[in-house]
Amino acid sequence: PILPLGLFRVRNFWTGNVATMFVYAALSLNGFVLAIYLQEGAGLSATLAGLASLPVTILMILLSSRVGALAGRWGARGFMTVGPLVMAVGSAMLLLVGSSFDYWWQVLPGMVVFGLGLTITVSPLTSTILGAIGPEQSGIASAVNNAVSRVAGLIAVAMIGSAIGGSLDLDGFHRSCLIVSALLAAGGVVSWLGIRDAQRREPVEP
């Protein structure tokens, strides 16, 4: 009841939230499937399976502020397009995972590429959505974006059984990688078609 529906008349706001839906569905699906497969399929401990994604976090810590500055200078549209596409490539690189498991050659390269794409995406995505709305409504705009990302992730994980065929074996893991790549590519395409740089903040009637 407290959500002004007029927010969704702002192009960068609704388009950014559609891109968020695709990107965060892919993120949740990738994180869930990778952690489970590395334990059940590759035989890693829970700790090592969690640490497998550490390169993504390190890259975000090191590069996010720089990417945010560049997006502020050049506009977010290109970053929001290229970032998800790079992530899609990183996810597709996980198809290298085979029955003879080797983290360093089969998982790490994909994680590095995925992390670079995520770093390119997140800061411009958030700043574009919030920047499209005036500061007096930034709180509700942030809440909507957060809700979209969480619901998208929940739905993606809930549908994992039908998506991968009911079994997270090597073939199921590969299918999930392709699904993640497709979702990320969709997020990049939506950003390219819908986001407009330097959009004037529009007042929204409650």
Side-chain angles (χ1 to χ4, degrees):
I2 65 172
L3 172 63
L5 297 180
L7 289 173
F8 295 98
R9 291 197 299 266
V10 181
R11 184 185 183 103
N12 275 8
F13 181 79
W14 71 260
T15 304
N17 276 294
V18 173
T20 295
M21 178 185 67
F22 285 115
V23 170
Y24 278 85
L27 277 175
S28 297
L29 187 58
N30 177 77
F32 178 79
V33 170
L34 184 63
I36 297 298
Y37 180 78
L38 290 181
Q39 295 175 74
E40 301 296 328
L44 298 184
S45 67
T47 301
L48 290 178
L51 290 174
S53 299
L54 188 59
V56 176
T57 304
I58 293 173
L59 287 168
M60 291 192 69
I61 291 172
L62 294 176
L63 300 177
S64 286
S65 60
R66 179 61 177 163
V67 170
L70 292 174
R73 183 186 309 170
W74 296 339
R77 184 188 184 202
F79 291 88
M80 290 174 61
T81 300
V82 171
L85 295 179
V86 172
M87 292 168 69
V89 172
S91 179
M93 289 173 67
L94 293 176
L95 295 172
L96 294 171
V97 173
S99 54
S100 180
F101 181 76
D102 187 322
Y103 171 80
W104 301 104
W105 295 105
Q106 297 176 358
V107 177
L108 181 61
M111 286 291 94
V112 171
V113 174
F114 193 92
L116 286 172
L118 184 60
T119 304
I120 293 170
T121 303
V122 170
S123 180
L125 175 63
T126 303
S127 62
T128 295
I129 291 173
L130 298 185
I133 304 299
E136 69 281 357
Q137 292 179 312
S138 61
I140 191 68
S142 177
V144 170
N145 185 240
N146 186 64
V148 168
S149 66
R150 298 296 170 255
V151 171
L154 289 171
I155 293 173
V157 172
M159 295 181 65
I160 184 64
S162 348
I164 67 173
S167 176
L168 191 53
D169 54 11
L170 183 59
D171 289 338
F173 177 72
H174 286 168
R175 281 193 292 272
S176 72
C177 292
L178 293 175
I179 293 170
V180 168
S181 293
L183 288 170
L184 291 167
V189 170
V190 167
S191 297
W192 176 255
L193 295 176
I195 295 297
R196 295 293 179 264
D197 288 328
Q199 184 187 44
R200 180 179 62 85
R201 287 177 177 171
E202 300 178 21
V204 178
E205 293 297 329

